[in-house]
Amino acid sequence: MKVRSSVFASLILILEGIGVALFLRGFFPVPLKSSVSSKNKLSDLPVEPLTGSSPNSSRLPQPLFKRVVIMLVDALREDFVFGPNGRMYMPYTRHLVERGSSHSFVAKARPPTALTTGTIPGFIDVVMNLNSPALLEDNLIWQAKTAGKRMVFYGDDTWVRLFPKHFMEHDGTTSFFVSDYTEVDNNVTRHLDSTLKRDDWDILILHYLGLDHIGHISGPHSSLIQPKLMEMDDILKKIHSALISKEAEGSLPYLLVLCGDHGMSETGSHGGSSEPEINTPLVLLSPAFKRKAGMEKPGVVEQVDLPPTLALGLGLPISLNSVGRVIPGVLEETSLRDQLRFLHLNGHQLSCLLKDSVPDYEKVVDTDVPCLIPEAGFEQFRVAEKAHGSWMKLFLEGNTSEVLSNMGKKVLKQYVEALAAMSSALSKQLGKYDMYSMIAGMVFVFQLLLVLLLAMPEALSGDAAVELPVLSALLSLPFYLMCLLLASVHVLVCTSAESSCYFCSLSWGLVFAAVAFSSAMFCILISLVTRRLPLGARIHGKSPLRSIGSEWSLSELDVLLLAGTVGHTLSLAASSFVEEEHQTWYFLLNTLCLAVFQDVCRKYFREQRGTGDEEESILPSKDCHPSPKAEIYSEKWLALATPPFTLLCCRLLRSLNQTGVQWAHLPDMGHWLNSSEHRTVLSLLAAFCLVFIYLLVQRRCSWVSKVALALGLLGVYSYRAAVGNVLFPWQHSGRTTSKGTMEARFVYVFILGILFTGTKDLLRSQIITSDARLKSRGLWEIYSGLVLLVTLLFRAHNLPVLCCCLLIQTLMAQFIWKKLHYDAAQTTIMHYWFGQAFFYFQGNSNNIATVDISVGFVGLESYVEAPAIFLTALSTYAGPLLWACHLVCFLSSQRDRSPVAVGHGCYCLALLRSVPAAAYIVLVFSPKLLYEAMHLLLTAGVCLFFNTMEQSHTASKS
């Protein structure tokens, strides 16, 4: 079966996407769950240990607190409270930390549901938490509702979706409109006065989002941070004062909790593993605690330690799947018996959960063989439980000696050590990987990559078509033998696997299709390999050495492009190179510019020096249209200036956004421009960039698209002014910022108009007139619509990145790729390198925290999943996507190129994406693997567009 290169490349990318999806399905762990029951109940609690008599009762100590107020400030960093600026940012809170009845900790954040379930989410939870469904897992809120606790909630409406019908009163505010950092908090605070005066609630939860929104807009060093933190400090003071005034003599005390769900990186995002992102303050205020005499260094706890602490403090069972341990400091003022009982309940719950995660645990426990995993805390807990029983026997006998007190303290220490060991062991076991699905996905991807590589000579030949021996493979004996072998392996794995596999849960029809596909790919690989071998080539009447020698001669630039691409792939074996991958692309791009500069010098100096009549050849003839000699020389000098100018632009863009890991904390031009005192400079820069973008893009558009583009760019500036990023010349300083929804929708109208005009011209050129000029205009109009959309999504300080991108594309296309006659493969690789470099110029990295989710809600008043995902992906991959689309437009609009040039470009682009995707599957760097999977899907879409353009290009040529 013979298929065109573009069709072949598109098919390979789509199938690779399925393989990567299967690998990711197995790679992301299944969270640990207890097998005891769906929810923990009071009736399931263990009895109190007692040695030498009938079992003691399942007595629970009296609750420690009557009322609990949880004030959750989104993105509250630890240094905002405990750091040098804490006294200035939150003076009242800092005073309570230093002198009040409080306990202060630095809590290691584990978003998104650790605060209620006590479990550590897997990596995929960060991705899937944008639109949270109802939480069915055992959690603190469900336990409180079951126990009859009356709960009130105000804040992020994610809580309302997670816990429907759990709150007797609630008022949710959307968490996705990040440009609003005022009303979103005022909607919470407006309920406080009336709620604090009432006595009809037991738990009050307040979730403030404004600080997180400020971080997303302008980062942790914005001038908006201090006023927002002082506002939070005043709110905490109001709550604390109200709780003190309602404290009754002889009743249980209150507990006020100040915490953050996560921190904030130096760029204002979160989701990564840096210290500012995971270190959050945890301040517990209650008259039950000792008053502090001065500032003490806060202890370090896990965020998952808060749910079991609150559960025991309220007299509730601990959630079954909680991996946290009770914070011992909270129990200090209770009796020794109650302290031991609290720790025993926590230890029993952790041991049950750990038992479910250890294979053959029953065999270990039910025999006299020593525990095989002492580091997990099994043995410590069993020893502590026995000692606890002995202590209880002496305690009930009325022993009041010093020996009993020392023994109790020893048991307490044993419990604390056992809890720490078991909690640590459970935290390390985030889940169980589905190895079968991972291996199956990996095999699929590597089979497809090998087919892609072996098809290279045919795909890049003059025909740009690949002969795939599909029919002969399906009718061969090895195909049926491979089907039997893989089917037997599948049955063996699915019948012997201890844990459930996703691949085993599929229907037999899908499994047979996957087995047949893998077997067919194996047979096709064997056929392609034999065809490439010398003996196979002679059988087909070809000499591989001769064809390679005639068609595959490599220039210096080819060697650089090949070595750079292979070297980048090899560098992925080191995690430090993955974390700082932008440095690799910056180096490769600089080297490419120097190599291109060498080619330009060779063309305009060495070749002209070798031909004596070059001077006369450039002079205009009398019969021709006047073309002065100065114009020819200006073209030469512009070509010579393009590579150095590109180097200069790249160097300036590197200083705009610090990225990676090692130097991400350093200040950059983006931080400087986003500060409030430099807003005028940012406004002037944004206005200049928008005008420059118009001048670069409008050249190939129709007059209708030119008008729409101008109005759209004006709307972009209006949107940025509406959300407070830039200033209008006539804007009053006291004017409050709006949401910018109408301005963004105004731009969307013009984007759709430009895309419609370009699509109409493109369809007319393919169906009605076959006009190459009309097709070229349609392509460039679609490209200009994409540029306008990216302009809307880019933050104001990133507009210079887009300007430089368009300017470099224009100069390289006019003076380098067209004049030096680079072939389609070389041009494609150069576009790919530029696209990868501009991905990092935007401020992206291989850390999930640098994804700007706020752009997914431009022009939206509420969360809509499909548009939010599309806009976020488009903004994140704007650099690679713009360069790939420019490649399509450039190759399709060049009339002097071969009709197969588009097919060659599509194949090269598919190969460039397939190699690193396969490498990352082996190396398994979690965030980068997600980036690669999404990039693979976008490239498949571009290749499908390539396929359409190749058909029209071939038709117009014929």
Side-chain angles (χ1 to χ4, degrees):
M1 183 175 69
K2 199 167 189 177
V3 295
R4 295 195 315 273
S5 296
S6 57
V7 177
F8 171 70
S10 302
L11 183 63
I12 290 292
L13 283 176
I14 293 172
L15 294 174
E16 278 185 350
I18 296 174
V20 172
L22 181 60
F23 179 87
L24 291 174
R25 177 60 179 81
F27 172 69
F28 291 124
V30 179
L32 285 172
K33 305 292 181 185
S34 175
S35 61
V36 178
S37 64
S38 59
K39 301 286 195 302
N40 205 354
K41 301 175 183 177
L42 287 173
S43 58
D44 299 329
L45 296 181
V47 296
E48 195 171 14
L50 183 61
T51 302
S53 63
S54 59
N56 197 10
S57 66
S58 56
R59 163 189 171 274
L60 271 179
Q62 184 184 15
L64 303 179
F65 311 108
K66 179 182 180 182
R67 278 185 165 191
V68 173
V69 178
I70 300 175
M71 181 177 173
L72 174 60
V73 181
D74 213 291
L76 184 63
R77 284 192 354 178
E78 165 261 335
D79 58 330
F80 288 164
V81 178
F82 303 138
N85 294 324
R87 290 187 179 90
M88 178 175 60
Y89 287 162
M90 304 185 76
Y92 185 77
T93 304
R94 186 61 175 264
H95 170 74
L96 293 177
V97 167
E98 295 178 357
R99 301 288 179 180
S101 301
S102 64
H103 285 295
S104 305
F105 306 95
V106 175
K108 300 288 184 179
R110 307 287 186 179
T113 56
L115 284 172
T116 57
T117 64
T119 60
I120 298 178
F123 184 80
I124 190 62
D125 290 313
V126 179
V127 181
M128 301 304 294
N129 193 53
L130 287 177
N131 193 20
S132 307
L135 184 63
L136 302 178
E137 186 180 346
D138 192 5
N139 58 82
L140 178 65
I141 304 299
W142 184 89
Q143 293 289 353
K145 184 177 185 297
T146 304
K149 300 291 184 182
R150 298 161 298 177
M151 293 177 289
V152 177
F153 171 77
Y154 305 119
D156 183 0
D157 60 0
T158 302
W159 288 73
V160 181
R161 295 196 303 271
L162 287 173
F163 310 108
K165 301 180 181 179
H166 284 61
F167 303 108
M168 73 170 195
E169 182 180 319
H170 63 81
D171 184 13
T173 58
T174 179
S175 59
F176 291 114
F177 204 83
V178 297
S179 59
D180 175 23
Y181 51 84
T182 304
E183 292 299 322
V184 72
D185 286 346
N186 291 342
N187 287 336
V188 178
T189 307
R190 64 190 176 98
H191 298 283
L192 269 184
D193 290 333
S194 60
T195 304
L196 292 173
K197 293 176 182 177
R198 290 156 33 195
D199 296 321
D200 60 345
W201 55 268
D202 301 306
I203 300 175
L204 173 62
I205 303 175
L206 309 170
H207 190 165
Y208 286 94
L209 294 164
L211 183 65
D212 179 64
H213 289 187
I214 291 174
H216 283 296
I217 293 172
S218 53
H221 304 294
S222 167
S223 59
L224 301 172
I225 290 290
Q226 182 176 348
K228 177 56 66 175
L229 289 174
M230 295 182 69
E231 177 190 344
M232 296 296 103
D233 190 60
D234 290 338
I235 293 170
L236 184 132
K237 181 178 181 180
K238 177 187 291 187
I239 298 171
H240 192 228
S241 301
L243 292 173
I244 292 175
S245 65
K246 296 185 76 67
E247 188 75 10
E249 193 72 30
S251 64
L252 290 175
Y254 64 83
L255 174 65
L256 173 57
V257 180
L258 172 67
C259 60
D261 57 344
H262 55 76
M264 185 188 300
S265 69
E266 290 300 314
T267 60
S269 299
H270 52 85
S273 58
S274 65
E275 291 294 318
E277 291 172 88
I278 65 173
N279 285 351
T280 65
L282 175 60
V283 181
L284 307 177
L285 304 171
S286 175
F289 304 147
K290 287 183 179 179
R291 184 173 293 274
K292 296 291 180 63
M295 183 64 184
E296 301 175 1
K297 184 178 180 180
V300 178
V301 297
E302 293 289 333
Q303 196 178 68
V304 291
D305 296 340
L306 182 59
T309 304
L310 292 178
L312 295 177
L314 289 168
L316 306 173
I318 300 174
S319 303
L320 279 176
N321 300 315
S322 172
V323 300
R325 55 195 174 108
V326 65
I327 301 174
V330 178
L331 311 176
E332 286 178 351
E333 299 304 310
T334 62
S335 66
L336 186 55
R337 181 183 181 182
D338 285 350
Q339 291 186 52
L340 294 177
R341 179 57 172 156
F342 282 133
L343 295 176
H344 173 253
L345 292 172
N346 193 189
H348 175 79
Q349 175 265 325
L350 289 176
S351 66
C352 289
L353 184 59
L354 195 54
K355 177 181 68 175
D356 292 334
S357 68
V358 177
D360 300 327
Y361 171 79
E362 296 294 341
K363 298 178 182 178
V364 175
V365 175
D366 295 339
T367 62
D368 294 331
V369 180
C371 186
L372 301 178
I373 45 172
E375 69 276 10
F378 281 119
E379 193 64 28
Q380 291 113 306
F381 177 69
R382 290 164 64 186
V383 170
E385 193 174 31
K386 291 180 180 178
H388 186 187
S390 301
W391 183 90
M392 276 297 302
K393 181 181 179 181
L394 294 175
F395 177 80
L396 294 176
E397 291 174 353
N399 193 322
T400 57
S401 64
E402 187 70 22
V403 175
L404 181 68
S405 176
N406 293 334
M407 182 180 178
K409 293 178 182 178
K410 182 179 179 181
V411 175
L412 189 70
K413 183 179 179 181
Q414 289 176 332
Y415 268 137
V416 170
E417 293 175 353
L419 292 179
M422 289 190 290
S423 178
S424 176
L426 286 166
S427 298
K428 292 175 183 177
Q429 297 187 33
L430 292 179
K432 300 176 182 178
Y433 296 98
D434 184 357
M435 295 302 299
Y436 185 33
S437 298
M438 291 174 63
I439 293 173
M442 189 183 301
V443 170
F444 286 169
V445 170
F446 274 92
Q447 282 182 328
L448 293 164
L449 177 61
L450 290 175
V451 169
L452 196 64
L453 289 171
L454 291 172
M456 183 184 295
E458 296 178 25
L460 296 180
S461 65
D463 295 333
V466 179
E467 181 69 36
L468 293 176
V470 177
L471 186 60
S472 60
L474 294 177
L475 298 177
S476 63
L477 180 61
F479 170 74
Y480 297 102
L481 293 177
M482 281 297 299
C483 285
L484 289 175
L485 177 62
L486 294 179
S488 61
V489 169
H490 178 76
V491 172
L492 182 64
V493 171
C494 293
T495 54
S496 63
E498 295 182 359
S499 59
S500 60
C501 299
Y502 172 74
F503 213 59
C504 295
S505 64
L506 297 177
S507 65
W508 270 104
L510 291 175
V511 171
F512 178 77
V515 167
F517 169 78
S518 185
S519 302
M521 293 303 299
F522 176 78
C523 295
I524 291 173
L525 275 174
I526 298 299
S527 178
L528 290 175
V529 169
T530 55
R531 189 190 302 175
R532 297 290 173 259
L533 293 176
L535 179 60
R538 293 192 189 99
I539 293 175
H540 288 84
K542 298 178 182 179
S543 173
L545 296 177
R546 188 179 304 165
S547 63
I548 292 174
S550 60
E551 298 183 15
W552 290 80
S553 57
L554 297 179
S555 65
E556 294 176 357
L557 183 64
D558 291 330
V559 173
L560 169 65
L561 295 175
L562 182 62
T565 304
V566 173
H568 165 258
T569 304
L570 295 177
S571 72
L572 305 180
S575 60
S576 57
F577 276 89
V578 176
E579 293 171 347
E580 305 294 330
E581 188 183 2
H582 60 287
Q583 301 287 3
T584 303
W585 286 116
Y586 295 164
F587 172 77
L588 290 177
L589 193 62
N590 293 342
T591 309
L592 174 63
C593 290
L594 294 177
V596 170
F597 184 70
Q598 181 184 6
D599 283 353
V600 174
C601 292
R602 183 181 292 117
K603 174 180 174 59
Y604 285 103
F605 289 109
R606 183 184 298 179
E607 293 180 1
Q608 290 185 9
R609 193 178 297 120
T611 57
D613 57 346
E614 185 71 24
E615 293 286 333
E616 290 77 6
S617 65
I618 62 175
L619 289 173
S621 63
K622 297 180 180 179
D623 299 330
C624 296
H625 191 272
S627 177
K629 182 178 179 180
E631 184 177 337
I632 304 297
Y633 277 116
S634 66
E635 180 181 292
K636 178 182 74 173
W637 289 112
L638 283 173
L640 288 169
T642 295
F645 179 77
T646 303
L647 281 173
L648 177 63
C649 288
C650 293
R651 184 62 192 90
L652 292 175
L653 292 179
R654 288 179 62 176
S655 61
L656 187 63
N657 293 300
Q658 289 286 357
T659 184
V661 174
Q662 295 185 12
W663 297 283
H665 63 283
L666 297 179
D668 50 37
M669 283 297 298
H671 287 92
W672 187 84
L673 290 170
N674 282 314
S675 60
S676 58
E677 56 266 25
H678 302 129
R679 187 171 297 177
T680 303
V681 178
L682 180 61
S683 303
L684 294 174
L685 178 63
F688 171 79
C689 289
L690 292 176
V691 173
F692 198 64
I693 290 170
Y694 176 78
L695 295 176
L696 290 172
V697 175
Q698 55 85 30
R699 295 175 300 118
R700 299 184 180 93
C701 297
S702 64
W703 68 270
V704 176
S705 296
K706 289 180 180 180
V707 174
L709 181 64
L711 293 175
L713 291 173
L714 181 61
V716 170
Y717 191 89
S718 300
Y719 168 75
R720 286 298 163 191
V723 297
N725 298 142
V726 298
L727 300 173
F728 268 129
W730 55 85
Q731 183 175 345
H732 298 290
S733 58
R735 178 179 176 268
T736 58
T737 58
S738 70
K739 295 182 178 181
T741 305
M742 292 304 299
E743 291 84 352
R745 292 177 178 176
F746 175 81
V747 180
Y748 283 141
V749 171
F750 292 109
I751 293 171
L752 292 175
I754 295 173
L755 293 177
F756 174 78
T757 304
T759 305
K760 180 194 68 175
D761 290 343
L762 196 60
L763 292 176
R764 284 181 56 197
S765 68
Q766 295 187 29
I767 299 174
I768 301 175
T769 64
S770 297
D771 186 356
R773 184 174 299 177
L774 185 62
K775 186 198 75 169
S776 176
R777 190 178 71 183
L779 280 173
W780 287 111
E781 284 179 334
I782 293 176
Y783 179 72
S784 65
L786 179 63
V787 170
L788 180 56
L789 179 56
V790 171
T791 307
L792 175 64
L793 299 180
F794 268 20
R795 296 195 179 194
H797 78 276
N798 259 347
L799 289 177
V801 178
L802 184 57
C803 282
C804 290
C805 173
L806 297 174
L807 181 59
I808 292 172
Q809 286 176 354
T810 303
L811 294 176
M812 293 291 287
Q814 187 70 27
F815 302 109
I816 303 299
W817 295 319
K818 189 182 296 184
K819 300 299 181 183
L820 271 63
H821 305 291
Y822 288 130
D823 59 36
Q826 293 171 326
T827 306
T828 301
I829 298 175
M830 289 187 204
H831 274 80
Y832 177 76
W833 282 22
F834 273 105
Q836 291 298 106
F838 272 86
F839 174 81
Y840 294 104
F841 287 148
Q842 292 175 230
N844 293 318
S845 71
N846 291 331
N847 189 337
I848 202 72
T850 54
V851 177
D852 185 8
I853 63 171
S854 63
V855 300
F857 313 98
V858 174
L860 302 178
E861 291 183 343
S862 60
Y863 177 75
V864 184
E865 189 168 8
I869 293 175
F870 170 76
L871 294 175
T872 303
L874 180 64
S875 173
T876 303
Y877 294 94
L881 192 60
L882 284 175
W883 280 94
C885 291
H886 183 272
L887 175 65
V888 177
C889 297
F890 177 76
L891 292 180
S892 301
S893 60
Q894 294 299 303
R895 301 178 186 177
D896 56 341
R897 284 190 181 271
S898 169
V900 299
V902 179
H904 290 173
C906 181
Y907 173 82
C908 292
L909 196 61
L911 186 61
L912 289 168
R913 290 304 318 135
S914 299
V915 172
Y920 279 117
I921 279 184
V922 176
L923 300 172
V924 188
F925 187 85
S926 304
K928 182 61 176 176
L929 194 56
L930 281 177
Y931 277 113
E932 289 297 313
M934 182 58 71
H935 200 171
L936 199 68
L937 292 177
L938 291 175
T939 308
V942 173
C943 283
L944 288 174
F945 192 49
F946 258 117
N947 183 29
T948 305
M949 291 303 100
E950 186 186 21
Q951 289 180 351
S952 63
H953 195 63
T954 306
S956 63
K957 286 286 182 180
S958 60

